[in-house]
Amino acid sequence: MPITKELKNVKKYETVGFTHEQAETPAETIEESHVDSHESLKEFIQRTIKDSENSLRGEIKEFRSDINTKIADSYTKIAELKYDLLLRIIIVVSTATGLLFAAIKLFT
């Protein structure tokens, strides 16, 4: 609380019959409470931000882990499909070659 506000509060107390010393006590108490509440609010906000950052970091780490796992699974599936496709091509070529030799023998 600004000093001018504290002095204004002291004068208000004095106008209703408080002595100067009596008026200073509640004004100081209010000022201290105000300062403490600002510090508490600041600490609360800092703690909340830090907790949010830690939570977000954890979620990002988990997300990255999931993505890496899915990418690895995709590479494995692609490799299996490539192998399967290669086998099918070999079978088709072998069958075509066999049919070609059979046709050659049949017509010669």
Side-chain angles (χ1 to χ4, degrees), residues 31-93:
E31 179 187 4
E32 288 172 8
S33 173
H34 187 70
V35 169
D36 289 346
S37 69
H38 276 290
E39 286 300 315
S40 296
L41 179 62
K42 181 180 176 183
E43 291 170 3
F44 171 75
I45 291 171
Q46 288 173 341
R47 187 173 53 252
T48 303
I49 289 171
K50 188 174 182 178
D51 291 347
S52 297
E53 287 175 349
N54 291 337
S55 175
L56 187 58
R57 282 190 180 110
E59 289 179 22
I60 289 172
K61 187 176 181 180
E62 184 179 326
F63 177 75
R64 285 180 178 170
S65 176
D66 289 346
I67 292 295
N68 288 337
T69 302
K70 289 181 181 183
I71 289 172
D73 290 346
S74 296
Y75 282 138
T76 303
K77 287 179 184 177
I78 289 171
E80 290 172 359
L81 291 173
K82 286 168 93 176
Y83 180 74
D84 186 48
L85 183 61
L86 180 62
L87 284 178
R88 289 174 189 246
I89 290 172
I90 291 172
I91 290 170
V92 169
V93 170

Side-chain angles (χ1 to χ4, degrees), residues 16 21 25 27 84 95:
V16 294
E21 290 78 25
T25 302
D84 186 48
T95 304

Side-chain angles (χ1 to χ4, degrees), residues 93-108:
V93 170
S94 298
T95 304
T97 304
L99 288 174
L100 181 65
F101 283 124
I104 290 174
K105 271 195 164 190
L106 188 67
F107 294 114
T108 58

Side-chain angles (χ1 to χ4, degrees), residues 5-18:
K5 187 78 168 178
E6 184 181 355
L7 292 174
K8 188 176 179 183
N9 287 340
V10 169
K11 289 185 188 226
K12 277 184 188 178
Y13 289 130
E14 287 176 343
T15 58
V16 294
F18 281 79

